[in-house]
Amino acid sequence: METTIEQLRTMRANLPKGNKDPWGDCCRNKRVLLHRALRRNNIGELTIGEYTVVQEWLTFVAKTKKDAERANKQLEKAIAKTAQQ
């Protein structure tokens, strides 16, 4: 499945506030490149810098999703353990 700009916009919108990108305190340039990339019409229009930042951001999104799933599983285990007592 090809990732489209619209899918990237949706993924970013679904992230919790404060976790939209990993560069909150350090890399303003990367944030600018990500915002510019999300304003493009398709992936073919991305510059090399924008493309690189989008790839880094996708890695961040995958890690964030994996961490959230792990936290949910731990919470479910704790709830199940407490309910059995």
Side-chain angles (χ1 to χ4, degrees):
M1 180 171 88
E2 184 179 328
T3 303
T4 64
I5 296 294
E6 190 62 38
Q7 289 171 322
L8 294 174
R9 290 177 190 145
T10 303
M11 287 186 337
R12 187 173 186 282
N14 290 335
L15 290 172
K17 187 175 183 180
N19 289 333
K20 303 262 185 209
D21 61 57
W23 313 293
D25 296 330
C26 70
C27 309
R28 184 163 191 250
N29 293 339
K30 288 185 179 184
R31 294 181 103 182
V32 170
L33 286 172
L34 180 63
H35 287 284
R36 279 183 17 195
L38 293 175
R39 286 194 307 258
R40 303 281 186 191
N41 293 324
N42 62 45
I43 292 178
E45 295 178 359
L46 297 179
T47 64
I48 294 171
E50 292 168 352
Y51 184 77
T52 303
V53 168
V54 167
Q55 287 180 323
E56 186 177 333
W57 181 74
L58 287 172
T59 303
F60 165 76
V61 170
K63 181 182 177 293
T64 301
K65 185 176 179 180
K66 189 176 181 180
D67 290 345
E69 288 174 0
R70 186 178 306 126
N72 287 341
K73 285 181 182 180
Q74 289 177 346
L75 183 59
E76 288 173 1
K77 286 180 184 179
I79 290 171
K81 185 177 179 180
T82 303
Q84 288 177 354
Q85 293 176 353

